[in-house]
Amino acid sequence: MTALPWSLLPDTAAVDGDGHLVIGGCDTVRLAAEHGTPLFVYDEAHIRNRCREAVAAFGPGAVYASKAFLCRAMARLAHEEGMAIDVSTGGELHVCLEAGVPAEGLVFHGNNKSRNELRRALEVGVGRIIVDSFDELDRLQSLHEPGRRPPRILVRVTPGVEAHTHRFVSTGQDDSKFGFTVSSGAATRAIEEASSSSAVDLVGIHAHIGSQVFRVESFAEALRVVADFAKPFDLPELSIGGGLGVAYVEGESAPSITEWAQAMKDAAQALGVTAQLAAEPGRAIVAQAAITLYTVGTIKQLPGIRTYVAVDGGMSDNPRPILYGSGYETFVPARVNDHRPRVIRLVGKHCESGDVLVLEGRVPEALEVGDFIATPVTGAYGHSMGSNYNKVLRPAVVFVSDGEARLVVRRESFDDLLITDLG
Ligand SMILES: Cc1ncc(COP(=O)(O)O)c(C=O)c1O
């Protein structure tokens, strides 16, 4: 029955005299009317606040994981706020460089970096490369040019532990495509190989130990295992990857970046870790910064079963529900504080029965075709994981701040669909 919990909305969310949701001083109903839907609306102040929190907590070890959401405006913003940026493909590297982010501020990830990607990374001089395999070490060796400063690298290890949503799990096995396995001795061999190579400058160890993790204790326990492994090598940097969870639906709550960092620092101190801690939050920086606005196009009532509300987007702008079974809330931005007694299933426009955005969304009693409807907490892994399935056009993205809306990614056009199609 309840209204949308305010805690799921971006930092600057407010309500105006008409009951409309305002973000960054902009009326979201007006934004939907002016820019069309689906539309991603990002609160610039919210992103800046989270970046500042990460920098205050981790100092030079604060890295934004750009896979969560990336466009040039986002890269500039993270860089302006003092974060380094994690890129995991040549494409993400290109966007960040085109945004004007200095290569020194980039951390290059990926389990299968190609020769060309590595060559580019070396040419531009990325700040760190997170080495993931012996093949990658070989490639770096063969690309090495005498006289050129070797890249600083961290070796990514798979420690056989995971920090799950609510649990710390010792998997006991290392069935992962990422990193060097600790239990088999591969991680130690990689460190020995990297230390003796003149093609790389080994500065640290990296482990990504979970995703959408709500308990900082789980992280701390996982860090203990990683730090134990790292200790004998006495390297100056230790990265704990990303993975801090965020609340998506009513009743969930997640630790702040500050709380996360404090738990990591306490655990590191107790273990006598002197290495500079680095962390790569993605979701925790951008997820709650954005909402997605849609227009209701079709309402199908199945008496005694359910009501389907179909909108003008779907799995192409948010594949998380279909990929991970993720839950979201729904609300009507023109009546953001209204109670939501009606249960609906929010679905997209794709030719796919699984094209569900919200399995059990709640809306005010009166909902009509033509109304705008929104999902909060869509700033991470929505736009970035989006697609053109069914040749549906990718939505526009606006950044809002101080009453100004800035279009940072325009909506695709039908002609865009033909750009790479040679007929
Ligand atoms: C190596 C690494 N770093 C950082 C992240 C970002 O994770 P999150 O967005 O959950 O913080 C990921 C996510 O997959 C990752 O694999």
Side-chain angles (χ1 to χ4, degrees):
M1 276 298 277
T2 53
L4 179 78
W6 212 247
S7 59
L8 297 177
L9 288 169
D11 283 359
T12 69
V15 61
D16 72 9
D18 295 324
H20 292 190
L21 172 64
V22 173
I23 301 176
C26 297
D27 175 356
T28 56
V29 178
R30 184 178 281 188
L31 289 174
E34 280 174 7
H35 293 274
T37 57
L39 181 69
F40 284 94
V41 179
Y42 278 83
D43 180 2
E44 196 171 316
H46 184 111
I47 303 175
R48 288 189 190 279
N49 290 344
R50 293 298 98 76
C51 290
R52 282 174 201 169
E53 199 183 339
V55 171
F58 291 103
V63 183
Y64 169 61
S66 71
K67 66 204 79 175
F69 169 62
L70 182 63
C71 61
R72 285 181 292 181
M74 179 63 217
R76 273 194 290 270
L77 207 153
H79 173 63
E80 272 167 30
E81 294 300 339
M83 291 190 88
I85 303 181
D86 144 5
V87 294
S88 50
T89 62
E92 289 176 354
L93 173 63
H94 183 66
V95 171
C96 288
L97 292 172
E98 287 295 307
V101 176
E104 173 61 30
L106 300 176
V107 178
F108 195 19
H109 269 277
N111 69 304
N112 182 25
K113 303 177 193 79
S114 69
R115 239 185 117 70
N116 281 344
E117 286 176 321
L118 286 171
R119 185 183 291 114
R120 176 95 175 117
L122 294 175
E123 274 165 12
V124 299
V126 297
R128 301 279 184 282
I129 298 177
I130 312 295
V131 173
D132 213 279
S133 67
F134 287 109
D135 290 320
E136 186 177 344
L137 274 177
D138 290 347
R139 265 170 242 162
L140 286 169
Q141 190 69 46
S142 69
L143 286 164
H144 180 57
E145 286 175 15
R148 185 161 68 193
R149 186 183 160 188
R152 274 163 297 183
I153 68 157
L154 281 79
V155 163
R156 178 166 178 172
V157 303
T158 312
V161 291
E162 283 174 25
H164 274 224
T165 303
H166 294 292
R167 290 172 301 143
F168 162 79
V169 181
S170 178
T171 59
Q173 48 147 7
D174 306 279
D175 188 359
S176 166
K177 71 169 185 171
F178 293 107
F180 297 94
T181 311
V182 168
S183 62
S184 70
T188 303
R189 274 192 288 123
I191 289 166
E192 285 164 1
E193 195 173 305
S195 316
S196 60
S197 165
S198 56
V200 295
D201 175 12
L202 176 67
V203 295
I205 289 174
H206 175 285
H208 174 73
I209 45 191
S211 200
Q212 184 57 352
V213 180
F214 286 115
R215 281 181 71 249
V216 291
E217 296 78 15
S218 293
F219 265 114
E221 285 175 74
L223 175 67
R224 254 165 236 137
V225 177
V226 179
D228 259 1
F229 168 76
K231 202 163 190 172
F233 306 109
D234 196 25
L235 294 167
E237 297 181 21
L238 179 61
S239 174
I240 56 166
L244 179 62
V246 303
Y248 281 90
V249 294
E250 185 165 6
E252 281 181 343
S253 70
S256 67
I257 291 172
T258 310
E259 289 164 338
W260 181 45
Q262 197 53 53
M264 293 301 103
K265 286 186 214 167
D266 290 348
Q269 197 179 13
L271 289 156
V273 172
T274 49
Q276 160 80 54
L277 278 187
E280 298 160 349
R283 191 191 313 270
I285 301 286
V286 288
Q288 292 194 334
I291 65 165
T292 309
L293 294 161
Y294 301 98
T295 304
V296 174
T298 304
I299 299 179
K300 175 178 173 176
Q301 311 219 24
L302 294 175
I305 304 179
R306 72 180 83 259
T307 300
Y308 284 93
V309 173
V311 294
D312 46 357
M315 58 190 280
S316 55
D317 59 73
N318 189 1
R320 291 192 68 253
I322 209 168
L323 279 176
Y324 312 117
S326 313
Y328 286 86
E329 297 282 343
T330 50
F331 68 99
V332 171
R335 288 170 283 147
V336 61
N337 272 335
D338 279 15
H339 284 273
R340 302 170 301 156
R342 206 169 151 196
V343 176
I344 54 120
R345 179 161 291 180
L346 194 73
V347 296
K349 65 181 279 122
H350 295 273
C351 294
E352 195 78 48
S353 295
D355 175 27
V356 173
L357 284 165
V358 184
L359 271 179
E360 292 224 328
R362 283 175 296 168
V363 291
E365 204 56 70
L367 180 76
E368 289 173 11
V369 167
D371 283 349
F372 297 128
I373 190 166
T375 48
V377 202
T378 54
Y381 304 105
H383 188 268
S384 67
M385 282 188 152
S387 74
N388 275 130
Y389 178 47
N390 289 144
K391 298 287 183 254
V392 168
L393 305 177
R394 271 183 268 240
V397 180
V398 291
F399 276 18
V400 289
S401 174
D402 295 328
E404 300 266 319
R406 183 160 61 104
L407 185 65
V408 295
V409 179
R410 70 156 168 79
R411 185 176 307 286
E412 281 180 339
S413 67
F414 288 135
D415 285 339
D416 289 331
L417 298 175
L418 301 175
I419 283 178
T420 53
D421 181 332
L422 303 178

